[in-house]
Amino acid sequence: MTIAPSTLPPPPVENDALPQQGPDAAFLARLALRRSTKVAHLASPGPEGETLDAILRLGARVPDHGKLGPWRFIILSGDNRQAYGKKIAALLSDRGHVKDAERLAQEEGRFLRAPLVVAVVFSPVESPKVPEWEQMLSAGAVCYNLLLAANGFGYGGCWLSEWVAYDRDALALLGLSAQEKLAGLVYMGTPTEAPIERPRPIAASRVTHWEP
């Protein structure tokens, strides 16, 4: 079953009255079983066109103190995935840190592991009221929302960072400014295998009820 993006409600505008949310068993069931798909299990096709636009629109509906929108998207798809991979492989080779041909080939193909990669860029906004930490949390929420939106359209997703997220030269090649950081690389595609549950922390063991 496929879901057309046109079935979504139109984007509301500021000050629109939104419908009051009631209990939703199907929504809770999806959250109760939410599981990322391993990158090795993501194949074509991936979301594109109006579906990708809808996933990005849904991904952006996150808590955002001050309405700053401190994040943006960079899309890696088609041949651009390998083009960026070649750039980071050349970066490692030029530094002399990696000389092994097999490892360099792996770097060239790093972003070919899924048909689509969405780089979520954290772009802090100067604000006297909203600390950068809160803005960073908003960018992280975008990454998670993208996973939920992709799942809603029937695609699998995996949120990774990898070494490029912490290498300023690699980030510059991707188009990030010196002030920006990579909140995550969200790989998306069609799952080739059903996910298997992983160990989860028991929420009740992490709860403390504060008392005066």
Side-chain angles (χ1 to χ4, degrees):
M1 174 183 173
T2 59
I3 298 178
S6 58
T7 61
L8 295 177
V13 298
E14 188 175 4
N15 296 323
D16 274 355
L18 301 179
Q20 190 167 0
Q21 302 299 316
D24 189 331
F27 176 72
L28 293 175
R30 291 295 290 267
L31 288 181
L33 300 177
R34 194 216 70 82
R35 174 75 166 94
S36 296
T37 302
K38 292 183 178 180
V39 172
H41 299 159
L42 293 173
S44 295
E48 58 185 7
E50 292 183 350
T51 299
L52 175 56
D53 291 342
I55 289 173
L56 297 176
R57 173 163 69 88
L58 296 175
R61 291 191 67 86
V62 295
D64 175 17
H65 184 193
K67 300 178 286 295
L68 301 177
W71 28 258
R72 63 187 181 93
F73 304 113
I74 298 176
I75 307 299
L76 292 170
S77 61
D79 294 339
N80 289 339
R81 295 170 298 156
Q82 188 168 30
Y84 181 53
K86 287 183 176 180
K87 284 183 176 294
I88 62 171
L91 176 66
L92 294 177
S93 179
D94 291 344
R95 289 174 175 171
H97 295 169
V98 178
K99 298 180 180 179
D100 181 75
E102 183 177 351
R103 165 70 191 285
L104 292 174
Q106 289 176 348
E107 294 299 336
E108 288 187 8
R110 176 174 293 279
F111 304 101
L112 296 176
R113 295 175 293 171
L116 177 75
V117 184
V118 179
V120 180
V121 180
F122 168 54
S123 301
V125 178
E126 191 70 30
S127 171
K129 295 183 178 180
V130 185
E132 184 174 298
W133 169 241
E134 293 185 10
Q135 298 183 42
M136 192 177 299
L137 291 173
S138 182
V142 169
C143 295
Y144 182 56
N145 239 26
L146 287 176
L147 292 179
L148 295 179
N151 290 165
F153 279 101
Y155 295 100
C158 188
W159 173 9
L160 301 177
S161 54
E162 306 184 294
W163 69 267
V164 296
Y166 306 100
D167 188 293
R168 292 314 312 182
D169 293 330
L171 294 178
L173 291 171
L174 188 58
L176 275 68
S177 70
Q179 291 72 39
E180 293 180 318
K181 297 179 182 179
L182 192 62
L185 295 162
V186 182
Y187 290 75
M188 299 183 193
T190 300
T192 59
E193 295 185 17
I196 297 175
E197 180 62 343
R198 50 170 278 186
R200 302 281 179 181
I202 299 173
S205 68
R206 310 292 178 95
V207 175
T208 301
H209 293 273
W210 183 85
E211 295 181 1

